[in-house]
Amino acid sequence: MTELRTARLRLRAFRPGDVAAVHVYAGDPEVVRFMEWGPNRLADTEAFVAEAVDPPEGSHPFAVERDGVLIGAVALTVTSAEHRRGEFGYVLARGAWGRGYATEVATAVLAHAFELGLHRVAATCDPANVASRRVLEKTGLRYEGRLHGYLHIRGEWRDRLLFATVRPRVSGERR
């Protein structure tokens, strides 16, 4: 699996020994309040890490490290190989919020998506998650609309905001 680096972060493959570090954020109700999953029980986190260690084809999960400490995750999923479309999502431990790490992670994964040959990459966020919306906009994704009643989360139908971008055209390239 590819390893990605930013100025301050390392995005690497998950390892079986990552369960405890992942569970710190995956079990935190504040961290997952806008997610469609969680807060995780330990068994949920173990299952996630097992799948992330051996991901299905088209899935590119990365553990996010700062100074050798796992602080979150980001995943890129190819949603259509034929149409070269993908989507990504990210989550960071509460102690990593407000430092620009999410923007670094999103930028790195978006560049990786285009290196893989994807043409269009999308991401969604909860309308109340203002910080995530800012990350997506800073990363170069454009707001495309509101997906009403898109997810059923913890007994409630939730909307999502859709953001996307297309691969920048290279000089002389045809689309």
Side-chain angles (χ1 to χ4, degrees):
M1 176 170 178
T2 302
E3 180 176 292
L4 307 175
R5 291 195 176 266
T6 72
R8 303 177 292 170
L9 305 172
R10 176 180 171 223
L11 284 63
R12 60 158 175 86
F14 277 93
R15 301 186 286 251
D18 290 333
V19 171
V22 169
H23 197 62
V24 167
Y25 65 81
D28 183 340
E30 181 63 18
V31 169
V32 302
R33 74 182 162 132
F34 296 123
M35 300 297 188
E36 60 188 84
W37 53 269
N40 282 8
R41 294 170 294 125
L42 183 57
D44 300 324
T45 301
E46 290 170 341
F48 165 78
V49 172
E51 184 171 310
V53 167
D54 188 22
E57 186 173 338
S59 181
H60 305 268
F62 294 93
V64 177
E65 284 186 351
R66 166 80 171 143
D67 297 329
V69 176
L70 194 150
I71 61 166
V74 61
L76 170 67
T77 303
V78 176
T79 57
S80 172
E82 178 184 1
H83 300 287
R84 297 184 302 162
R85 282 194 316 259
E87 56 188 41
F88 72 94
Y90 48 85
V91 60
L92 293 175
R94 199 181 327 185
W97 292 356
R99 296 188 166 115
Y101 298 151
T103 302
E104 282 186 44
V105 165
T107 300
V109 165
L110 188 59
H112 182 61
F114 294 140
E115 288 168 6
L116 291 175
L118 294 181
H119 170 73
R120 176 183 165 83
V121 181
T124 65
C125 70
D126 190 285
N129 193 343
V130 176
S132 193
R133 179 182 183 138
R134 280 195 303 262
V135 166
L136 297 174
E137 291 170 339
K138 284 191 279 187
T139 306
L141 280 75
R142 294 181 53 188
Y143 175 71
E144 293 194 339
R146 187 178 193 113
L147 304 169
H148 297 276
Y150 192 68
L151 297 172
H152 193 252
I153 303 172
R154 294 179 276 286
E156 178 183 358
W157 286 103
R158 300 289 304 177
D159 294 355
R160 282 292 184 260
L161 303 181
L162 174 64
F163 292 81
T165 190
V166 295
R167 182 174 163 260
R169 184 175 282 176
V170 178
S171 178
E173 174 185 47
R174 281 196 208 178
R175 292 223 176 174

